[in-house]
């Protein structure tokens, strides 16, 4: 490890220590009628809600079991980066119009290499499919690109041969699924012996991934520009 990375990591730790107390003080208490402390995803939902990454779905609900769409995913990642200014490109995707809640987020994600086209329309315009529910393997692929955008090391990968449905993982998603599993972002389903790569991801599952990423990012990233505070719901507390 070179000296520059060691110094960067040390500075990042000091910056994070400062944001921990500030973040805890700024966090507002949020409640949802369909979320309670007995749920496995309670801390994850509170993390994304109190940090302004995900909002409710209307009234006082979060809708934890509802599918998360491709537009929702890029919007949350965009918010994680502080919603930087983006010039809308009407030619980027034929199915992404200006003025939607996800418009700038999609353009940012495309420009950052986090998303790619899912096909073309009759006029050969690239398509993003913003309202389509995202599968677990699509989410893994999108998220590993985001991790690399954050300078996270994604080389270490889990051996997925122990999962009964390993054959269902698409070739284009195998490395992403292997890293996400190794990093603890995406775990097995059911009894833990299946990956369910083609199953659509839910809002609470995506909230859990975002929360887990905030916890493990220090393990994988030695150079920070804007370190994120670790959630008060994280257990055990991450050692600085």
């Amino acid at each position: 490890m070179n000296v520059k990375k060691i110094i960067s990591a040390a500075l990042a730790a000091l910056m994070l220590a400062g944001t921990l107390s500030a973040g805890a003080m700024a966090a507002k208490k949020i409640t949802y009628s369909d979320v309670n402390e007995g749920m496995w995803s309670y801390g994850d939902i509170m993390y994304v809600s109190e940090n302004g990454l995900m909002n409710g779905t209307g009234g006082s609900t979060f809708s934890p079991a509802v599918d998360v769409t491709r537009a929702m995913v890029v919007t949350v990642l965009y918010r994680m980066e502080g919603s930087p200014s983006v010039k809308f490109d009407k030619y980027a995707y034929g199915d992404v119009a200006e003025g939607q809640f996800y418009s700038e987020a999609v353009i940012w994600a495309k420009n950052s290499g986090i998303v790619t086209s899912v096909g073309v329309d009759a006029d050969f315009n690239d398509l993003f499919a913003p309202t389509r529910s995202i599968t677990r393997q699509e989410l893994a692929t999108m998220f590993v690109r985001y991790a690399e955008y954050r300078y996270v090391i994604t080389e270490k990968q889990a051996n997925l041969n122990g999962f009964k449905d390993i054959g269902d993982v698409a070739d284009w998603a195998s490395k992403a699924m292997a890293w996400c599993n190794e990093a603890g972002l995406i775990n097995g389903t059911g009894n833990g012996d299946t990956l369910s790569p083609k199953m659509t991801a839910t809002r609470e599952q995506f909230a859990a991934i975002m929360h887990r990423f905030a916890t493990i990012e220090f393990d994988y990233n030695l150079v920070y520009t804007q370190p994120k505070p670790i959630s008060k719901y994280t257990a055990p507390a991450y050692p600085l």
Side-chain angles (χ1 to χ4, degrees):
M1 183 182 297
N2 61 47
V3 174
K4 182 178 179 181
K5 286 190 173 183
I6 294 175
I7 294 174
S8 297
L11 289 173
L14 290 173
M15 291 174 67
L16 179 64
T19 59
L20 279 171
S21 57
M25 291 176 62
K28 56 181 180 181
K29 182 65 176 177
I30 297 176
T31 59
Y32 298 109
S33 60
D34 55 355
V35 175
N36 62 73
E37 294 187 22
M39 297 169 57
W40 69 268
S41 57
Y42 175 77
D44 305 316
I45 293 172
M46 290 299 103
Y47 166 75
V48 296
S49 298
E50 292 180 359
N51 285 279
L53 300 178
M54 293 180 71
N55 302 316
T57 54
S60 61
T61 60
F62 183 80
S63 303
V66 169
D67 287 351
V68 66
T69 65
R70 291 169 54 82
M72 291 177 187
V73 171
V74 295
T75 299
V76 171
L77 298 181
Y78 180 60
R79 290 171 181 164
M80 187 79 164
E81 294 303 310
S83 301
S85 178
V86 173
K87 182 179 180 180
F88 183 77
D89 179 5
K90 65 180 180 179
Y91 300 108
Y93 292 109
D95 54 355
V96 176
E98 189 172 8
Q100 303 301 310
F101 76 86
Y102 52 80
S103 301
E104 286 74 22
V106 173
I107 302 304
W108 165 81
K110 181 181 186 296
N111 293 342
S112 302
I114 297 169
V115 299
T116 58
S117 171
V118 297
V120 295
D121 61 16
D123 296 321
F124 299 100
N125 297 308
D126 285 333
L127 298 175
F128 177 71
T131 60
R132 193 177 78 189
S133 297
I134 196 168
T135 65
R136 285 164 59 84
Q137 63 183 357
E138 286 177 329
L139 181 56
T141 302
M142 195 179 294
F143 209 87
V144 77
R145 291 173 185 154
Y146 173 67
E148 290 170 349
Y149 171 82
R150 293 282 298 171
Y151 301 104
V152 173
I153 300 170
T154 60
E155 295 176 357
K156 192 173 182 180
Q157 299 175 351
N159 185 337
L160 302 179
N161 289 330
F163 293 99
K164 294 190 298 184
D165 57 351
I166 180 63
D168 292 339
V169 178
D171 291 341
W172 50 265
S174 59
K175 290 184 178 180
M177 288 289 285
W179 178 74
C180 285
N181 183 253
E182 170 65 29
L185 300 181
I186 294 180
N187 301 316
T189 57
N191 294 324
D193 56 358
T194 55
L195 283 170
S196 303
K198 298 178 181 179
M199 180 186 294
T200 53
T202 64
R203 285 170 54 83
E204 65 180 341
Q205 289 171 345
F206 182 49
I209 291 175
M210 293 302 301
H211 193 190
R212 292 166 187 168
F213 182 76
T215 308
I216 63 95
E217 194 173 7
F218 258 98
D219 264 348
Y220 289 84
N221 193 357
L222 296 178
V223 182
Y224 272 69
T225 54
Q226 291 181 316
K228 303 297 180 183
I230 295 174
S231 167
K232 65 183 179 182
Y233 299 102
T234 301
Y238 197 90
L240 291 178

